[in-house]
Amino acid sequence: MPVQEVFDLVVKHTCEVMPELDGHTFVATDSLRELGANSMDRAEIIMMTLEELSLTVPLVELAGANNIGELAKLIHDKS
């Protein structure tokens, strides 16, 4: 699966967890924290994405991502 598809999954799950962002145009440099996602929201978004991809990755391995693009790349690299 290309990185762009992983990015699209992260965006999809972000909108499910935070419906107020449904009209937002997401870019790779968007930070979930800056978009208003608290730590529980971020963990849920990541877990939903990993589950959809049937991946088991410790969240600590994804903690270094500074934005959605980096998160998608880290998840992509684990698949």
Side-chain angles (χ1 to χ4, degrees):
M1 172 179 287
V3 174
Q4 182 61 46
E5 288 184 33
V6 177
F7 175 84
D8 292 341
L9 282 177
V10 173
V11 168
K12 174 183 135 183
H13 294 128
T14 299
C15 290
E16 287 176 15
V17 172
M18 304 178 67
E20 65 273 16
L21 293 176
D22 200 29
H24 180 73
T25 302
F26 289 86
V27 294
T29 55
D30 280 339
S31 161
L32 290 172
R33 179 177 285 125
E34 290 174 7
L35 290 172
N38 63 34
S39 59
M40 294 300 290
D41 292 336
R42 294 191 304 270
E44 186 172 359
I45 291 163
I46 292 169
M47 293 306 297
M48 291 169 73
T49 303
L50 293 175
E51 186 174 306
E52 186 157 336
L53 294 171
S54 299
L55 292 174
T56 303
V57 179
L59 292 181
V60 68
E61 292 185 22
L62 305 173
N66 294 313
N67 55 51
I68 297 174
E70 289 179 15
L71 177 61
K73 173 86 171 84
L74 284 173
I75 292 172
H76 173 267
D77 291 348
K78 300 290 181 185
S79 59

